[in-house]
Amino acid sequence: MGSYPEEVNGQKRMEAVPLKNGTGKGLNKHVTNFIECMNKRNPNTNASVEIGAHIAKFSALGNIAYRTGKKLIWDGTKFTNDAGANDFLIPITGNHGRCLKHNTYLNK
């Protein structure tokens, strides 16, 4: 197994963390928790909607970086160092920003 600490100017930015194989059951646990909370009318899921949206956004941003093959800088609304990476985004009406395309994983 390897590890992936990022290096900048020859300096590691964080401690290396060994890769671990997952069980493949994480999604089942989230779905089960979500269904249980719906059935009990309990809004307190193990992971909040805000956390889920945040993680989904960063996963998609990582996917865009992978597809462009570049280290990208995100300012919260757009990539500031690669205009082509912004082609993976769509405008948000009335918000003057951009969001990730729903089909980011399918196209390009």
Side-chain angles (χ1 to χ4, degrees), residues 7 9 18 25-26 37 49-50 57 60 63 78-79 100:
E7 289 190 19
N9 298 326
K25 298 184 183 192
C37 287
V49 171
E50 291 82 9
K57 176 175 70 175
N63 184 45
K78 66 185 179 308
F79 296 105
L100 302 170

Side-chain angles (χ1 to χ4, degrees), residues 6-7 18 20 27 41 45 47 53 59 63 70 74 77 81 84 92 94-95 100-101 106 108:
E6 181 181 23
E7 289 190 19
K20 295 181 182 178
L27 180 59
R41 298 183 185 273
T45 56
S59 297
N63 184 45
K70 299 176 183 174
W74 175 254
T77 59
N81 65 326
I92 301 171
N95 195 11
L100 302 170
K101 287 183 180 177
L106 303 176
K108 295 192 178 188

Side-chain angles (χ1 to χ4, degrees), residues 67-83:
R67 289 176 180 271
T68 62
K70 299 176 183 174
K71 181 176 179 178
L72 300 172
I73 299 171
W74 175 254
D75 72 358
T77 59
K78 66 185 179 308
F79 296 105
T80 60
N81 65 326
D82 188 326

